């Protein structure tokens, strides 16, 4: 059995266990083949948490706190940080944001979407170093960063995917069906699209868009687990495993407890 670390909001930390290591899966994967086990839950000092991300350089988890209105420019949002054992280091490490959501890291820089801005934070100093205002944007959301230093981020209100490359923001693709979560791979981007309740792929080579897996309500965070499969969280309070062939299995359902599942992070080297 392999166990890995999954960070999700509340904030909580779960282990993800795989009992079936076959490379090809033709039929729907049984739910019991994959399992999430809660290891800890943080203190209730974070406010309307949207996203988490693990930083291997600092061995810390960064947390985006909306706190106020989900799309309100009220200046009360913040970024917090905590240790991998759930100990809170600083609940409000970076302040003065409005509705911070997606998080991404490149080197010593932490990137966070904040309604119409992509904000760059210098991690060593804990200061905002740059702010990129995205013209005509309405609701910037999730973030994913590539190995070659590109920041990809969605506008879930307009169905647009942007990228920041060499200090310039541009549109990668528009007319998406409510783009929320985003995850970048070598040859494609995976997107959680609310309009068609799907995990969608955008291929860089031919700019084609197609559905990888459907019937995923309100898909939010998307993370690869290293074996060709993915974990997809849903704002409704669900976490699905999506196999390489698009087969889905429900791993967690907190809807009955009115607990939403926003953006997640999956840490493969923490076993």
């Amino acid at each position: 059995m392999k166990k890995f670390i999954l960070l999700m909001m509340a904030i909580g930390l779960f282990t993800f266990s795989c009992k079936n290591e076959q490379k090809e899966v033709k039929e729907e994967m049984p739910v019991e083949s994959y399992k999430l086990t809660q290891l800890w839950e943080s203190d209730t000092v974070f406010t309307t948490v949207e996203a988490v991300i693990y930083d291997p350089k600092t061995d810390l988890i960064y947390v985006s706190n909306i706190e106020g209105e989900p799309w309100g420019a009220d200046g009360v949002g913040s970024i917090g940080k905590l240790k991998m054992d759930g100990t809170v280091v600083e609940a409000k490490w970076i302040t003065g944001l409005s509705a911070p959501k997606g998080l991404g890291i490149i080197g010593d820089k932490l990137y966070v979407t904040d309604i119409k801005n992509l904000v760059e934070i210098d991690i060593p100093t804990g200061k905002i170093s740059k702010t990129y205002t995205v013209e005509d944007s309405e609701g910037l959301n999730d973030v994913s960063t590539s190995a070659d230093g590109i920041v990809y981020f969605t506008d879930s209100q307009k169905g647009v995917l942007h990228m920041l490359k060499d200090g310039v923001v541009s549109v990668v693709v528009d007319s998406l069906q409510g783009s929320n979560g985003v995850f970048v791979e070598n040859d494609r981007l995976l997107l959680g699209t609310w309009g068609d309740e799907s995990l969608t792929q955008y291929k860089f080579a031919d700019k084609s868009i197609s559905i990888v897996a459907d019937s995923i309500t309100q898909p939010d965070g998307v993370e690869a687990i290293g074996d060709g499969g993915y974990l997809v969280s849903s704002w409704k309070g669900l976490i699905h495993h999506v196999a390489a062939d698009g087969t889905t299995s429900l791993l967690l359902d907190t809807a009955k407890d009115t607990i939403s599942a926003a953006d997640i992070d999956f840490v493969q080297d923490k076993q």
Side-chain angles (χ1 to χ4, degrees), residues 124-241:
T125 62
K127 303 293 184 182
I128 293 175
S129 48
K130 290 182 182 178
T131 298
Y132 300 91
T133 299
V134 182
E135 299 297 333
D136 300 321
S137 62
E138 294 182 7
L140 302 181
N141 204 317
D142 199 18
V143 175
S144 185
T145 57
S146 66
D148 56 352
I150 300 175
V151 182
Y152 294 94
F153 55 104
T154 60
D155 186 327
S156 57
Q157 301 298 297
K158 293 188 69 175
V160 175
L161 175 70
H162 298 275
M163 73 175 182
L164 172 68
K165 181 179 180 181
D166 299 328
V168 178
V169 174
S170 61
V171 173
V172 179
V173 59
D174 55 15
S175 302
L176 294 167
Q177 298 296 311
S179 52
N180 193 322
V182 59
F183 182 81
V184 61
E185 296 185 306
N186 290 333
D187 60 343
R188 66 177 181 172
L189 291 159
L190 291 174
L191 298 143
T193 49
W194 282 36
D196 54 9
E197 298 188 338
S198 298
L199 179 63
T200 301
Q201 68 175 354
Y202 170 82
K203 289 194 173 182
F204 292 121
D206 59 6
K207 300 182 180 181
S208 62
I209 299 174
S210 59
I211 291 176
V212 174
D214 57 15
S215 301
I216 302 176
T217 304
Q218 298 177 334
D220 204 308
V222 181
E223 289 291 324
I225 60 174
D227 65 353
Y230 303 88
L231 294 177
V232 180
S233 62
S234 297
W235 177 248
K236 184 179 179 180
L238 312 174
I239 293 183
H240 284 88
H241 171 264

Side-chain angles (χ1 to χ4, degrees), residues 8-11 40 42 46-54 60-66 77-82 90-94 97 100-101 103 110 112:
M8 65 167 289
M9 302 331 305
I11 297 171
W40 54 256
S42 73
F46 299 106
T47 49
T48 319
V49 176
E50 170 64 23
V52 288
I53 191 168
Y54 172 69
L60 294 174
I61 302 164
Y62 301 110
V63 183
S64 59
N65 302 292
I66 296 174
S78 63
I79 305 295
K81 54 184 180 180
L82 69 163
E90 195 170 356
K92 294 186 177 183
W93 171 52
I94 303 294
L97 303 173
K101 293 183 175 66
L103 299 169
L110 175 66
V112 55

